Amino acid sequence: MVTRRRVVQAAVGGMVALVPAGSVAPRLWAASGGGALDPHKVEKYVAPLVVPPVMPSDREAVGASVDHYTIGVRQFRQQVLPPGLPATTVWGYGSIQNPSTFHYPAFTIEARSGTPVRVRWRNQLQNRRGGYLPHLLPVDPTLHWANPPGGIRGRDARPVFRSTPGPYTGPVPIVTHLHGGLNSEESDGYTEAWYLPDAPDIPAGYAQSGSFYDEFGRKFADRFGVVWNRGEAVFQYPNHERASTFWFHDHALGVTRLNVYAGLAGFYLLRGGPADLPEGVLPGPAPRPGDPPGRTYYEIPVVIQDRSFHADGSLSYPSGRADFDGFKGPYVPDSDIAPIWNPEFFGNTMVTNGRTWPHLRVEPRRYRFRFLNGCNSRSLILKLVTHPLARRPAHAALPFWQIGSEGGFLPSPVRLDQLLVAPAERADVIVDFTSIAAGTELYLINEGPDKAFQGGKAGTDFTPAAPATTGQIMKLTVGALTAPDRTVPPSQLSLPTFEPLGEASRTRRLSLSEENSASLPHVGPRHMLLGTLDGHGAAVPMHWDDPITEHPAVGATEIWEIHNFTADAHPIHVHEVQFQVVDRQQTGHPARPAEPWESGFKDTALAYPKGVTRLKATFDRPGRYVWHCHMLEHEDNEMMRPYTVG
């Protein structure tokens, strides 16, 4: 039975063998043959951590009541690997008025509570002649995806092929989602509101935008008097949320995993308002517009991702299903298994703020780190230790004080020896180095598994990440103190008032499932699915284009009871809302409350296998939104559903 639950792939000398699970190390992706870059040969801790600068606003808009940005998506080369190794071709966001700002990850958008931000997001994936650029990575055209070749009638669909196709090589659809933002539907980055670049060589008959692009463009024009031009979309973010760590990333239907892997992600930090703290209470400064080169920062956003590379420095990503579980076909038209899509991805090299295994020099004082798990599928368990190869699970040398999650500050600080951060989750933490002697070297390590997280403890329930590669993130070296630290110790912090949501008027029962092939029933998974439950408590799996089943009323507070029938823990993200985790309940056990670090508002939470996770949310904006698993390979193949408010 060829399923991911019973086999793992071992690549030895370019040959693929199917072996029982648990008999070899978990899968880490590397191209077969001589083209892969061995992560053991990538020198660690030779390049400094990049602290993302602030994205500049449009010059003519300075001082306006709305902060305006014109941000493009381009292809360029960047030194992701250490100096001496080849540069990497990536995609990234940048200010069109400031070409030097294009970077992976993007420069940070700094937003102020109550001041709207309007972004003109432009697809500039074009060559020097203006023609479109194909994708850097293999696009599977057999999924239910944006499908520009399908034209107006066939876009946003699963196309029919009479033989197994190769990767799609046409113009790339994009649409940007502000993850965590509470915005109207036309500015949410809806997955079927994508658009192609304004290139002269778009093939005849191709759809140039998604099914909802025109509708949302009209709504935006009616609301703000601004027209979307070809190859772009304009979104406005009111910024009425609590001060929070948001991020923006691509969200185009069926290619999110590839567009984000290529580099399309960046921080969006919302500050001020009644749910923030006065300046000087927490460690700072953070980057600001116009900072001189070399300025020292004590608040640092940190996005952690796993990647694999070819020896020439290019990004490496699986080009066929066989790379995942050894299944070499049959594919279309003799089965329903997608020929290119992989159910999950785990890279063999850790990249932090766009560099492999960087180092950071810190002072003996308090620092604020805003951690983001930007991995496609990998859950992270972060810990600070004194030796990078310490036996796992390692002893923590310093604690984290978590003060915030996706929806702003927690009710009170939480002291933790480790941080569990699933894909798309954020952890706003303080690390206190004041007691650490100058010259001390510390290491941020990862003890999460090199496979899909299923819950449990490292070393007991699963093997931690490979200590020499994916088990290491970053080195921190303590230097001399340059100025007094007058910030408040985390144990003494009083965080802004937290007002929990009111009583729920309805409970919805929802399901997470995966299905094997219908034509080859012992091959799978074919795709992952969201759905509902029937009257007997059995899952009713549904596809992306099945009729919508969730219609909360405007202003309604509901509990979404998520039943996970799979073997993996899925990070579930609900657009448009910040929710509270009510409790979790494993089969045969009493419900247990949310973890202490989940006591605030969140937009992404783990739904553990063979159990129920209950989320409470208030739906206060009418419109069409989505909820989905944020393991991007899952999201791209049916584990996403639309819902409507009102």
Side-chain angles (χ1 to χ4, degrees):
M1 181 175 180
V2 183
T3 73
R4 66 192 179 119
R5 303 298 171 220
R6 297 189 57 187
V7 302
V8 295
Q9 176 178 300
V12 182
M15 298 180 64
V16 173
L18 297 180
V19 293
S23 63
V24 298
R27 298 179 300 273
L28 290 178
W29 166 249
S32 60
L37 178 63
D38 184 349
H40 297 86
K41 297 181 180 179
V42 178
E43 192 174 2
K44 296 181 179 65
Y45 313 128
V46 295
L49 176 75
V50 174
V51 180
V54 173
M55 183 77 74
S57 59
D58 291 351
R59 286 185 286 270
E60 63 270 18
V62 174
S65 59
V66 176
D67 291 341
H68 292 258
Y69 295 81
T70 304
I71 297 176
V73 169
R74 295 179 183 173
Q75 179 172 299
F76 49 89
R77 290 177 63 77
Q78 182 174 309
Q79 195 65 48
V80 179
L81 295 163
L85 290 176
T88 302
T89 299
V90 294
W91 292 351
Y93 296 99
S95 169
I96 291 176
Q97 295 185 1
N98 299 267
S100 63
T101 62
F102 282 84
H103 191 266
Y104 153 64
F107 285 19
T108 299
I109 295 179
E110 284 277 350
R112 298 165 291 165
S113 176
T115 300
V117 164
R118 182 179 297 171
V119 183
R120 190 175 293 272
W121 300 102
R122 191 166 292 164
N123 187 340
Q124 294 186 308
L125 291 173
Q126 297 165 263
N127 57 36
R128 293 180 179 179
R129 299 180 301 278
Y132 71 82
L133 288 169
H135 214 293
L136 295 174
L137 307 168
V139 176
D140 193 327
T142 70
L143 303 183
H144 190 137
W145 75 295
N147 192 33
I152 298 298
R153 296 183 63 182
R155 62 187 171 179
D156 300 319
R158 184 185 297 272
V160 176
F161 294 93
R162 295 183 178 180
S163 61
T164 302
Y168 167 78
T169 58
V172 177
I174 68 165
V175 63
T176 301
H177 168 56
L178 177 57
H179 187 122
L182 310 184
N183 304 302
S184 53
E185 60 178 351
E186 72 274 6
S187 294
D188 186 55
Y190 189 70
T191 191
E192 288 185 348
W194 54 266
Y195 47 96
L196 301 181
D198 183 15
D201 58 346
I202 303 295
Y206 272 44
Q208 304 216 12
S209 57
S211 304
F212 282 84
Y213 177 88
D214 289 341
E215 175 184 335
F216 288 161
R218 288 191 296 270
K219 289 185 176 181
F220 194 90
D222 291 344
R223 179 171 294 186
F224 299 109
V226 175
V227 174
W228 297 2
N229 298 314
R230 183 172 165 179
E232 68 177 23
V234 188
F235 297 160
Q236 183 148 319
Y237 311 120
N239 295 321
H240 293 316
E241 305 90 344
R242 305 172 83 233
S244 302
T245 304
F246 300 153
W247 65 301
F248 54 94
H249 61 82
D250 184 74
H251 211 276
L253 183 66
V255 288
T256 297
R257 70 196 184 286
L258 305 175
N259 291 356
V260 172
Y261 191 87
L264 298 186
F267 282 97
Y268 184 110
L269 305 182
L270 178 59
R271 301 182 189 272
D276 205 353
L277 291 172
E279 189 172 345
V281 175
L282 299 177
R288 290 290 186 266
D291 280 349
R295 185 171 186 184
T296 300
Y297 301 111
Y298 305 118
E299 179 194 318
I300 302 174
V302 179
V303 54
I304 301 169
Q305 299 171 303
D306 55 343
R307 297 290 184 263
S308 293
F309 297 87
H310 294 287
D312 65 1
S314 60
L315 290 169
S316 175
Y317 188 88
S319 59
R321 173 63 183 242
D323 296 323
F324 179 76
D325 56 12
F327 179 70
K328 297 181 179 180
Y331 302 119
V332 177
D334 299 314
S335 85
D336 51 10
I337 297 294
I340 299 174
W341 173 78
N342 275 221
E344 287 141 12
F345 172 85
F346 299 93
N348 59 22
T349 305
M350 302 308 293
V351 176
T352 304
N353 285 3
R355 284 188 173 168
T356 56
W357 292 301
H359 68 81
L360 174 66
R361 188 174 181 84
V362 299
E363 299 178 23
R365 59 180 298 144
R366 288 177 282 276
Y367 281 71
R368 181 184 187 182
F369 295 105
R370 298 179 186 247
F371 287 112
L372 160 65
N373 182 343
C375 300
N376 280 30
S377 299
R378 178 187 297 273
S379 289
L380 302 168
I381 299 177
L382 304 178
K383 191 178 286 187
L384 286 165
V385 301
T386 56
H387 196 287
L389 297 176
R391 181 181 176 87
R392 271 52 163 177
H395 173 74
L398 273 181
F400 301 100
W401 286 88
Q402 185 164 346
I403 59 173
S405 55
E406 296 91 78
F409 289 108
L410 303 178
S412 60
V414 179
R415 187 186 189 277
L416 300 166
D417 285 336
Q418 64 182 32
L419 296 174
L420 169 60
V421 192
E425 285 190 309
R426 283 87 75 202
D428 190 352
V429 306
I430 293 174
V431 177
D432 192 342
F433 297 98
T434 55
S435 64
I436 307 300
T440 301
E441 295 179 342
L442 297 171
Y443 297 86
L444 181 66
I445 66 168
N446 166 41
E447 292 187 343
D450 282 328
K451 62 178 183 178
F453 183 59
Q454 299 177 345
K457 296 182 179 180
T460 301
D461 301 298
F462 58 84
T463 301
T469 54
T470 52
Q472 297 185 48
I473 306 293
M474 180 170 65
K475 177 181 176 180
L476 304 99
T477 303
V478 181
L481 185 67
T482 61
D485 183 358
R486 295 187 173 91
T487 62
V488 177
S491 61
Q492 301 174 24
L493 273 174
S494 179
L495 298 179
T497 302
F498 178 83
E499 296 184 8
L501 298 173
E503 292 295 317
S505 60
R506 176 171 180 169
T507 296
R508 295 182 187 270
R509 303 173 75 206
L510 306 170
S511 64
L512 313 180
S513 308
E514 63 178 51
E515 289 185 348
N516 288 347
S517 169
S519 56
L520 302 171
H522 299 303
V523 178
R526 171 174 51 141
H527 48 220
M528 288 73 173
L529 299 167
L530 306 177
T532 59
L533 269 67
D534 65 17
H536 303 286
V540 181
M542 295 183 174
H543 294 80
W544 164 253
D545 58 350
D546 283 332
I548 296 176
T549 49
E550 288 69 57
H551 301 275
V554 176
T557 298
E558 298 189 351
I559 289 176
W560 284 21
E561 189 177 274
I562 300 172
H563 296 247
N564 185 353
F565 293 92
T566 79
D568 296 336
H570 296 267
I572 298 301
H573 172 45
V574 185
H575 287 219
E576 193 270 329
V577 299
Q578 290 286 346
F579 56 71
Q580 289 180 262
V581 179
V582 177
D583 59 28
R584 293 185 177 88
Q585 187 171 8
Q586 299 305 113
T587 303
H589 296 275
R592 54 184 175 86
E595 301 290 353
W597 61 87
E598 298 178 311
S599 57
F601 286 113
K602 293 177 63 61
D603 58 47
T604 307
L606 277 170
Y608 286 92
K610 310 305 180 186
V612 179
T613 300
R614 297 180 179 90
L615 311 176
K616 181 193 289 186
T618 297
F619 300 85
D620 54 6
R621 289 163 189 79
R624 186 184 185 98
Y625 300 94
V626 300
W627 67 288
H628 59 87
C629 174
H630 221 285
M631 295 173 75
L632 299 184
E633 281 71 21
H634 293 186
E635 170 187 341
D636 272 350
N637 194 3
E638 299 292 354
M639 207 168 198
M640 177 165 60
R641 289 274 294 151
Y643 78 94
T644 59
V645 180

